[in-house]
Amino acid sequence: MRTLAPEGQLAVVDIGSVHTEAGAQVDEVQIAYRRWGEPAGDPHGSNNILLVEHALTGDTDAADWWSEAIGPGKALDTDQWCVICTNALGSCYGSTGPASAHPDADGTVWGSRFPAVSIRDMVQAEHRFLGELGFSRVHAVLGGSMGGARALEWTLLHPEQVDYALVIAVSARASAWQIGVQTAQITSITHDPAWQGGDYHGTGHSPDAGLAAARRLAHLTYRGEMEIDERFGTSAQTGENPLGPYRADGERFAVQSYLEHQGRKLTERFDAASYVTLTEALNRHDVGRGRGGLNKALASSTVPTMIVGVDTDILYPYHQQEHLSRNLGNLLAMSKLSSPVGHDAFLVEARQMDRVLRNFIALTHETPSAHDVAVTRGDYDI
Amino acid sequence: MRTLAPEGQLAVVDIGSVHTEAGAQVDEVQIAYRRWGEPAGDPHGSNNILLVEHALTGDTDAADWWSEAIGPGKALDTDQWCVICTNALGSCYGSTGPASAHPDADGTVWGSRFPAVSIRDMVQAEHRFLGELGFSRVHAVLGGSMGGARALEWTLLHPEQVDYALVIAVSARASAWQIGVQTAQITSITHDPAWQGGDYHGTGHSPDAGLAAARRLAHLTYRGEMEIDERFGTSAQTGENPLGPYRADGERFAVQSYLEHQGRKLTERFDAASYVTLTEALNRHDVGRGRGGLNKALASSTVPTMIVGVDTDILYPYHQQEHLSRNLGNLLAMSKLSSPVGHDAFLVEARQMDRVLRNFIALTHETPSAHDVAVTRGDYDI
């Protein structure tokens, strides 16, 4: 087993070439990660590795964005568990993506040469990454939203390597509504003149306006309308009058200012081409593809999997998690977050998530994994 | 009483200058309308006028867009009732709006000179229109979405002129979420280079791309995600491959093609500046403004009002109609449409709407109006 990066510090691992599900190739791929807690147990058997998967614009710093969940004494107790969080293939937080240097070493980045990737491609890259670290099994894979999609694909692509899974606020496949609203975001970026066909890096112009508009729209799908309304209602932004005789961009309701702030913040920390790449991966999310359809794929799952949803989620409505719970081959448990916040509840309803995560960990101690079942069966066969 | 336009035919009525709530002025305003059925009764007392209010991009042809509701023998039976449907101030179907000729008669249109209007401004213009026709009372005002907002404002601005009201799929005020998603649509149009500050008419360029993008987004709020998903799921558009090695605009999921069709269709029939004007009016919708707040305004209502909502509406969620039902001063009844279709259910769930409309009409026969109560009280006073 390779020595892991110092606790909490960003590190990268070379995994070589990735051949995408759709037939493209990305060479010299790196996967970035952080870890907290010390690994223990058998890297090829039962161990204490918890693989945490981030959401769309998330990064490896899970102890930051899930700060109330990860740490000594917390639900994901780093005194007991070794938490590893990778950055997804195609993102811009250390793993190879469109803004990464191209292997040609001509000083250019991948840009438009970076192919479309699927959730499965991300999992395959992560699988190679874990192999490079020296692990062929983990205790659990956990994630919400895009992270939940990856956790779910892990259970279908490499069930023998995942003892348990926690899949939060996601579905078995993209819905047409999601594709619609996600494509609106992609279009907002790719129709920004600064996009330049995806090759804007290094030109001094980037599609910030398009990315900000995409984020404003996305934010309206991440947050419940009740929570947004409770905070802003029809209030005017301080010093502005949105009720004047003529409509004017600078005379805003408070919620407009808030959304513009959300959009601007993202342009300061995220690459537009990565946003397009990861959003496109969500459009392509479909566990049924090439597996005989959605429910056949879910029924084939052997990994004990807990499903969590949010009652007010409009992006991944709760009936989608109910669908998962009905059809998964090995449902460990199901749980619902009750919150006005909507989809983002899994990131901000810390008290409820603490209960969910502690219950999940407890269940993994009480319930046999597919490996345990296999071992037991083996005993009978002797 | 003025002779009404021939049945089903578009006509316009001059109403003079409109002074908007926010302090602007529009001169030489015309309001377009159609009517079906013959007026009967007292134009200043009890009569058979049903004033039907259209939604955002609707027009005066209610017998077309509510074809299963309006006509001989139908729920709004034109053998008994005289149905009148006006075009809203600011629209582009005959009433004065940004694309109408400016009174300067210099051959230009209002364009950016057309002010922001509120739902109340629309009602005030319609009130003047009715006065020009010779009516100072109607049996009922009915409408859904923006039409529902107008019906609701009618009951607060001119309660003495409305015997009953039917308010469908709307709220007492815009929510912050609505303002967010509606502003995204406005911005999509006004940031289109062809917008030209709102003065694109006659230039040979119009912000069709921005209007189409706005409509695509709006459509995702009009239609329930279950209905859209049942129709399209993750299907590819015929002859296209949205799962290829590289993302490409021309390789679409079926839902993208459907949304693009919806966007394109609107650009062929609707003016972008009218779209901005009417959407801005929805942003400003707030029955509490200047009336001591939302619930005080609703409590002051004397017009018997029936409220209808849709269980899957994400634009005007059902809790908003529940809020209306709890706080209206004179609730006639409440009813819920159950449908996967979402907000648009009031336009497409014809069977359920037939029941709702027949119930509403029946209730107006059984329940005393504010006028009836006043008359009764008068009797006691003698």
Side-chain angles (χ1 to χ4, degrees), chain B residues 179-212:
Chain B
I179 293 172
V181 81
Q182 286 161 181
T183 300
Q185 294 168 49
I186 290 173
T187 305
S188 164
I189 295 169
T190 61
H191 288 201
D192 183 326
W195 171 251
Q196 303 169 68
D199 293 312
Y200 57 88
H201 303 89
T203 66
H205 303 282
S206 57
D208 288 349
L211 178 59

Side-chain angles (χ1 to χ4, degrees), chain A residues 151-184:
Chain A
L152 188 60
E153 277 289 357
W154 258 108
T155 67
L156 295 167
L157 286 169
H158 300 289
E160 74 290 355
Q161 303 199 2
V162 178
D163 286 2
Y164 302 92
L166 176 59
V167 171
I168 306 168
V170 77
S171 58
R173 65 159 168 82
S175 75
W177 194 91
Q178 287 158 2
I179 293 172
V181 82
Q182 287 161 180
T183 300

